[in-house]
Amino acid sequence: MLELKDISYSVRDEVHGKRQAILDHVNLTFDDAAISVITGPNGSGKSTLIKILMGFEKPTTGRILFNGEDITALSVTERARKGFTIAFQQPVRFKGITVKKLLEIACGKKMDTEGMCDCLSSVGLCARNYIDRTVDGTLSGGELKRIELATAIAKGGDVYLLDEPEAGIDLWSFEDLVKIFDRLRDKTVIIVSHQQRILDTADKIVLFDNDKLISAGRKEEMFEKLSQRPALCWRNIKENEYGQNG
């Protein structure tokens, strides 16, 4: 179980010399073997929360507990060793590193063809066409995103932090994306997303607005609350939005 106890995060406003709150006294629990989707308007602190969970940012106040252990002070590397895996909103490019090498770095060992096929096919890519490709600008945004998700699967772990995993994914690949979530249902999966089809996969939905945790609960009750907040309605997948990003 992953617990946030009174987590706040603020940054200094260089113009006015004051501190600006990004997250304000958040208390939240993420259960084992469950998918939690964090949603809310842009700028409400969702991605910042993911960075704090992974250790890229340290909370101004509060504690993070993982299976009862206080991990607030642990580094990104230490959290990765404890089973934390992240996929960023914008995939990282690696000049000179092939897909094969990236997958092997992620899993910490040599991978056979079957293992690579399993990881890449789960995100809609053929291993034969990609294992020798370099992870750089020659790949499209959608390809880079899918390779990043394949890398997360190759690494494995107990906690998956996925920041807008649908970004850059074309309509055809979206079905593969949903299958990935189903594949990870025995893990603690935390997703930042506005997309209704991803919200539909959730066991728990968490709503943020104006740096505050507004509400969190089971999918059915949260859908009703979301429908009462027109300004926060989620987006549907549309072919004209995603058809050109593969």
Side-chain angles (χ1 to χ4, degrees):
M1 180 180 292
L2 185 58
E3 302 173 85
L4 282 69
K5 293 186 176 292
D6 200 34
I7 292 292
S8 293
Y9 180 76
S10 62
V11 295
R12 181 170 294 280
D13 185 334
E14 299 297 337
V15 176
H16 300 95
K18 298 179 180 179
R19 296 198 70 84
Q20 178 183 356
I22 307 298
L23 294 170
D24 186 24
H25 299 289
V26 174
N27 290 281
L28 191 56
T29 298
F30 297 105
D31 295 326
D32 298 334
I35 296 175
S36 300
V37 178
I38 303 173
T39 194
N42 293 335
S44 58
K46 305 182 302 297
S47 293
T48 298
L49 182 62
I50 293 294
K51 292 176 183 177
I52 287 174
L53 288 172
M54 192 66 213
F56 289 108
E57 302 288 353
K58 300 298 182 186
T60 307
T61 65
R63 296 187 301 150
I64 303 170
L65 303 180
F66 181 50
N67 295 331
E69 177 188 356
D70 190 334
I71 64 168
T72 312
L74 295 188
S75 67
V76 174
T77 300
E78 289 169 323
R79 294 188 201 197
R81 288 172 180 160
K82 286 188 175 295
F84 281 64
T85 298
I86 189 169
F88 298 97
Q89 185 175 349
Q90 295 296 327
V92 179
R93 290 169 168 81
F94 298 91
K95 185 177 180 180
I97 295 181
T98 64
V99 172
K100 177 181 179 180
K101 184 63 176 178
L102 187 62
L103 291 173
E104 290 181 335
I105 291 172
C107 73
K109 62 181 181 181
K110 292 285 187 180
M111 292 186 73
D112 57 23
T113 303
E114 183 179 353
M116 290 191 181
C117 284
D118 180 52
C119 291
L120 291 169
S121 64
S122 69
V123 296
L125 297 177
C126 174
R128 182 175 62 253
N129 296 334
Y130 283 91
I131 57 174
D132 294 322
R133 295 281 300 274
T134 302
V135 187
D136 58 16
T138 63
L139 295 166
S140 71
E143 288 172 322
L144 285 167
K145 190 68 178 181
R146 282 180 268 176
I147 288 167
E148 182 189 40
L149 291 170
T151 303
I153 291 171
K155 177 189 174 299
D158 298 311
V159 178
Y160 283 79
L161 308 171
L162 310 177
D163 191 358
E164 296 199 23
E166 73 277 9
I169 295 291
D170 56 76
L171 184 66
W172 174 81
S173 297
F174 201 86
E175 297 301 327
D176 291 317
L177 186 62
V178 173
K179 291 176 183 177
I180 291 173
F181 302 153
D182 287 334
R183 173 176 177 159
L184 298 175
R185 280 198 178 274
D186 61 333
K187 311 295 183 182
T188 299
V189 181
I190 303 170
I191 306 169
V192 170
S193 182
H194 300 284
Q195 298 294 347
Q196 181 177 348
R197 283 212 244 168
I198 292 182
L199 288 164
D200 285 339
T201 70
D203 298 297
K204 181 177 186 176
I205 293 176
V206 179
L207 174 61
F208 275 84
D209 194 11
N210 292 325
D211 68 54
K212 289 181 172 60
L213 170 63
I214 301 300
S215 186
R218 305 296 295 178
K219 173 174 59 179
E220 294 76 17
E221 65 177 279
M222 288 300 295
F223 275 170
E224 183 176 349
K225 292 181 180 181
L226 285 169
S227 67
Q228 295 168 2
R229 300 172 68 94
L232 301 179
C233 282
W234 53 80
R235 298 194 296 264
N236 289 299
I237 293 292
K238 295 179 182 178
E239 188 169 1
N240 62 353
E241 290 177 354
Y242 291 88
Q244 303 301 318
N245 294 328

